[in-house]
Amino acid sequence: MLLPSYPKSRPRRLRATPAIRSLVRENNVSHSHLILPLFIKAGLNGKKEISSMPGHYQLSLKDLATEINEIQHLGIAAVILFGIPANKDDYGSDAYSDQGIIQQAIKTIRIIAPDMLIIADICFCEYTSHGHCGIVHQTSRGADVNNDHTLELLKKTAVSYAHAGADILAPSGMMDGMVETIRAALDQNDFSHLPILSYAVKYASSLYSPFRDAAEGAPAFGDRNTYQMDLANGNEALHEAALDVQEGADMLMVKPGHTYLDIIWRIKQAYPHLPLGAYHPSGEFAMIKAAAKKGWVDEKQAVKEILTSMKRAGADFIITYYAKEFCHWQNSAVPA
Ligand code: PBG
Ligand code: ZN
């Protein structure tokens, strides 16, 4: 394509006023693209603020009800749920108990907000006594998560959340075959209509540490490097995504999002027909909060910039701890 050069071409003409900038803006973040993570803890009296995540709480079921009313009013249409059970054991059995905290939370939300989109994260790190994302077996190199044993328990958990009323199942443990296994289990139990949002590409990141305080799910020994991806790898992300697409994932996710914009871009180019999510992780929320508190960055502008960068890279929707604040800002916005 032949472009006229300066002085015929003057890109500044289309930046002259707020109205024209808005007219030619390529990407917008709207409240309808945002998913709010919530933490619900069994046996809690009242809500408890998470110290590394100001404004976020571990909620009791009662406080969950209050929170849902508030966010519905704000315009948030989707939540992703994380549970902290009363009891942890080697098998994470509260995850697939029909009386489990997430099963109760799903039912609570469904009554208060029938139209709220309820995404159930499926993993075991919050439910196991050792804090790993699956069932730990001894190997010749020490303890490690056993893939296929974990798949058996993932089936039960997915079906239990589906029975409770979840709208979307989101396995986050990076087990091989997790999508195929959950798809088959859902189909066999009359839940063929429920979509799977796969954490297809999840890196072993340093940006999850506040989440681990919130969900009380830090590994008691070792790390997650045998199941989450090596952060130096990009081509491998395409392989992970390809497998999940073949296994029947309805939607894919890249996590973390902001520090992996190249991966969002590549996955979207490879699978433009599949909705793609990006996870804006707890560590990044904490960093922006801390800098904003010191007056070192403008919180609102920084958050808008980062969320927009994920959309521009190709994300269709974003899981973010800033969902509520974003809606507040949007609702009180004067046109910019
Ligand atoms: C658990 C899980 C984690 C997050 C979402 N699901 C933590 C981890 O993998 O250790 C991270 C969320 C965040 O940091 O906001 N599998
Ligand atoms: Zn996990």
Side-chain angles (χ1 to χ4, degrees), residues 14-15 24 31-32 39 47 82 89 92 97-99 102 109 118 172 196 204 211 215 220 280 285 293 309 322:
L14 304 186
R15 295 178 200 144
V24 300
H31 62 90
S32 66
F39 301 97
K47 57 182 191 176
F82 299 96
D89 60 27
S97 152
D98 288 338
Q99 313 313 320
I102 288 298
I109 297 172
I118 305 174
S172 68
I196 296 175
F211 174 95
H280 187 214
F285 172 84
K293 199 172 166 200
S309 75
Y322 269 111

Side-chain angles (χ1 to χ4, degrees), residues 76-156:
I76 291 174
V79 291
I80 184 163
L81 307 181
F82 299 96
I84 303 110
N87 300 299
K88 301 187 185 226
D89 60 27
D90 283 354
Y91 299 96
S93 54
D94 267 27
Y96 44 89
S97 152
D98 288 338
Q99 313 313 320
I101 184 65
I102 288 298
Q103 287 80 351
Q104 294 184 59
I106 292 169
K107 289 177 194 161
T108 302
I109 297 172
R110 188 55 79 223
I111 291 167
I112 301 165
D115 297 329
M116 182 70 68
L117 193 65
I118 305 174
I119 306 173
D121 179 278
I122 308 180
C123 201
F124 293 109
C125 45
E126 304 97 324
Y127 300 90
T128 49
S129 37
H130 44 69
H132 277 287
C133 300
I135 306 315
V136 169
H137 282 198
Q138 287 303 322
T139 74
S140 55
R141 280 171 276 100
D144 196 5
V145 171
N146 181 279
N147 196 86
D148 296 3
H149 190 174
T150 302
L151 292 183
E152 289 306 309
L153 302 186
L154 276 175
K155 277 189 210 173
K156 290 199 207 184

Side-chain angles (χ1 to χ4, degrees), residues 5-266:
S5 59
Y6 173 84
K8 270 192 189 151
S9 180
R10 290 179 180 268
R12 289 187 55 189
R13 288 179 194 131
L14 304 186
R15 295 178 200 144
T17 66
I20 199 163
R21 289 197 293 274
S22 171
L23 182 77
V24 300
R25 186 162 295 134
E26 297 174 32
N27 292 284
N28 277 298
V29 181
S30 137
H31 62 90
S32 66
H33 302 135
L34 302 182
I35 299 165
L36 176 70
L38 293 174
F39 301 97
I40 307 98
K41 181 168 175 169
L44 196 65
N45 255 327
K47 57 182 191 176
K48 190 166 161 254
E49 190 165 26
I50 301 146
S51 60
S52 50
M53 301 178 72
H56 284 271
Y57 299 82
Q58 292 180 330
L59 302 167
S60 64
L61 285 169
K62 208 168 139 223
D63 290 302
L64 173 66
T66 315
E67 179 76 8
I68 292 294
N69 277 322
E70 185 193 327
I71 66 170
Q72 198 177 22
H73 193 71
L74 268 174
I76 291 174
V79 291
I80 184 163
L81 307 181
F82 299 96
I84 303 110
N87 300 299
K88 301 187 185 226
D89 60 27
D90 283 354
Y91 299 96
S93 54
D94 267 27
Y96 44 89
S97 152
D98 288 338
Q99 313 313 320
I101 184 65
I102 288 298
Q103 287 80 351
Q104 294 184 59
I106 292 169
K107 289 177 194 161
T108 302
I109 297 172
R110 188 55 79 223
I111 291 167
I112 301 165
D115 297 329
M116 182 70 68
L117 193 65
I118 305 174
I119 306 173
D121 179 278
I122 308 180
C123 201
F124 293 109
C125 45
E126 304 97 324
Y127 300 90
T128 49
S129 37
H130 44 69
H132 277 287
C133 300
I135 306 315
V136 169
H137 282 198
Q138 287 303 322
T139 74
S140 55
R141 280 171 276 100
D144 196 5
V145 171
N146 181 279
N147 196 86
D148 296 3
H149 190 174
T150 302
L151 292 183
E152 289 306 309
L153 302 186
L154 276 175
K155 277 189 210 173
K156 290 199 207 184
T157 308
V159 171
S160 178
Y161 291 165
H163 271 295
D167 294 304
I168 299 178
L169 288 312
S172 68
M174 289 298 282
M175 294 302 122
D176 296 333
M178 66 185 186
V179 172
E180 180 178 281
T181 303
I182 290 172
R183 184 71 272 156
L186 291 174
D187 291 355
Q188 280 157 19
N189 287 275
D190 286 330
F191 294 113
S192 57
H193 55 290
L194 291 186
I196 296 175
L197 164 59
S198 179
Y199 286 67
V201 179
K202 181 173 176 184
Y203 288 94
S205 168
S206 62
L207 297 171
Y208 305 154
S209 42
F211 174 95
R212 293 178 189 171
D213 296 340
E216 301 179 17
F221 58 86
D223 52 38
R224 304 212 199 287
N225 293 342
T226 68
Y227 41 102
Q228 297 181 350
M229 279 178 57
D230 184 330
L231 60 89
N233 294 353
N235 297 329
E236 189 191 2
L238 286 175
H239 184 58
E240 281 283 2
L243 291 170
D244 284 10
V245 172
Q246 282 169 4
E247 290 178 30
D250 300 280
M251 296 179 276
L252 302 174
M253 183 156 48
V254 172
K255 180 179 175 193
H258 179 213
T259 40
Y260 298 80
L261 293 177
D262 55 326
I263 307 302
I264 295 177
W265 174 261
R266 291 173 70 178

